[in-house]
Amino acid sequence: MLLLLPGVLPAQQKEIVTFPLRGFCIAAPRPADVDQFVKFITEELVPRKVNTLILRIDWNYQFVHHPELRDSVALSKEDVKKMVWACQRGGIRAIPQINLLGHQSWAGTVHNLLRVYPQLDETPHVKMPAKYAWPNADGLYCKSYCPLHPEVHPIVFSLVDEICDVFESDAFHAGMDEVFYIGDDKCPRCGGRDKAELFAGEVRVLRDYLAQRNRKLWIWGDRLIDGKTTGLGMWEASLNNTHRAIDLIPKDVMICDWHYERPDKTPVYFAMKGFKVATCPWRNPSVALSQVEDMRTFRRDATPEMKENFQGIIQTVWSDTRSFLDGYYGKKKDPADKGNTPWNCFRTIY
């Protein structure tokens, strides 16, 4: 059952139900949790008319062409097919994600791509600390790969092809959020180059490769927003001048616009630039309700030329799958944060 928004009439609620995009984004489960997640797809996502599932794969797959990049415990092709077929039976579009460009490390751990191929590191001079803390003198949040390294794209394209094929997907989500390391002065290829052009160049390379295979590119939208002018800062927007890339990338890139603490109106910015956009809440139900109502209003009040740029909502979950399912099914208590959890947010939206 859908929660009726305060002050929204039943006829208006129908408009919320019929957003073109009603999405859910979460880390792909580990093999032991696949069957429980399939149950969640069938019994929770499908009845709520969720029609798009973004699964963050990264290295959680038994890649055939690059087995050296697999996690030690990773999904098999059979595991993935269970989820894909459950989505297909329920009318859900399944889209895989591998974080590209940024997010090649987390805290003190270098992720598989740069661990196996350290020559691809944009900032090899920045060493991983024994104990990670933020802020730090190196400005280290997450490592990036060098987008101009000649070895990077043959590897990336192989991974993208393989994961899209097994998902039978017509789209791929490349992440590309929170890219702080780009165009580093010490990089022999990127140093001195325009950061917006570097970011846009990587988007175009990925988009063009996918287009050859009749697939669409999806990315997070934060690097395309001016963090200083908007006051949104370095996390939800860019303070390293990548925002100008918004005028340098193809308009058929799908933008996933995330804001978690306020219902910022940036979908209008993306729509006016000619992009299709979805708003992406996380764990705050009251903010999510405002974002749903905003998206309904944007679609209602838009010109015919812009209406379909406002695509809908994607609920995001930033924990492992098991933790979310344990919270959703009441196997663990809500933290003492007044109900601000991704499972409560999901129930509120859908």
Side-chain angles (χ1 to χ4, degrees), residues 35-221:
D35 288 344
Q36 186 182 15
F37 189 67
V38 167
K39 180 176 183 288
F40 177 78
I41 293 172
T42 302
E43 297 182 1
E44 307 298 335
L45 296 185
V46 173
R48 287 174 167 82
K49 302 186 184 301
V50 171
N51 63 15
T52 304
L53 173 62
I54 300 168
L55 283 178
R56 299 194 306 277
I57 300 293
D58 293 320
W59 317 112
N60 180 19
Y61 181 65
Q62 295 176 16
F63 291 102
V64 173
H65 298 296
H66 282 283
E68 73 278 10
L69 295 178
R70 302 174 179 176
D71 285 342
S72 58
V73 177
L75 296 168
S76 67
K77 182 177 180 179
E78 291 72 24
D79 291 327
V80 170
K81 288 302 185 185
K82 286 182 181 180
M83 296 184 285
V84 169
W85 293 334
C87 287
Q88 290 175 346
R89 288 193 299 269
I92 295 175
R93 182 187 190 190
I95 300 175
Q97 176 185 328
I98 299 174
N99 272 320
L100 297 182
L101 192 55
H103 277 279
Q104 302 304 316
S105 70
W106 183 254
T109 301
V110 175
H111 291 324
N112 298 12
L113 182 65
L114 297 190
R115 179 179 56 79
V116 177
Y117 298 105
Q119 70 272 26
L120 304 181
D121 193 344
E122 173 74 4
T123 54
H125 57 280
V126 176
K127 305 305 179 185
M128 302 305 290
K131 184 177 180 180
Y132 179 82
W134 177 268
N136 56 73
D138 288 319
L140 172 63
Y141 173 57
C142 297
K143 287 269 194 177
S144 301
Y145 65 65
C146 172
L148 299 184
H149 197 289
E151 296 176 29
V152 73
H153 290 118
I155 298 171
V156 164
F157 292 160
S158 176
L159 296 170
V160 170
D161 280 343
E162 187 170 351
I163 204 65
C164 286
D165 286 347
V166 74
F167 268 85
E168 305 173 35
S169 179
D170 62 356
F172 171 78
H173 201 305
M176 301 188 73
D177 60 318
E178 298 173 335
V179 178
F180 296 167
Y181 284 159
I182 185 170
D184 187 82
D185 289 340
K186 295 183 180 179
C187 176
R189 295 162 296 274
C190 300
R193 293 181 180 267
D194 185 294
K195 291 177 171 58
E197 292 183 0
L198 284 169
F199 188 87
E202 185 66 2
V203 172
R204 287 196 303 268
V205 165
L206 296 170
R207 178 267 175 199
D208 291 351
Y209 185 80
L210 288 163
Q212 293 171 16
R213 286 148 177 78
N214 296 313
R215 290 168 174 149
K216 296 292 187 182
L217 175 65
W218 293 37
I219 63 172
W220 304 113

Side-chain angles (χ1 to χ4, degrees), residues 21-27 40 45 50 52-56 220 256-260 278-285 287-289 291-292 312-319 324 328 340-350:
L21 199 165
R22 301 178 297 280
F24 185 73
C25 174
I26 193 170
F40 177 78
L45 296 185
V50 171
T52 304
L53 173 62
I54 300 168
L55 283 178
R56 299 194 306 277
W220 304 113
C256 302
D257 182 38
W258 61 271
H259 299 289
Y260 301 148
T279 296
C280 304
W282 172 31
R283 65 176 184 173
N284 189 314
V287 170
L289 283 177
Q291 290 169 317
V292 170
I313 297 288
I314 302 171
Q315 163 73 34
T316 64
V317 177
W318 298 103
S319 66
F324 173 81
Y328 184 82
N340 287 339
T341 65
W343 47 90
N344 285 337
C345 192
F346 171 75
R347 284 196 174 97
T348 298
I349 294 171
Y350 292 115

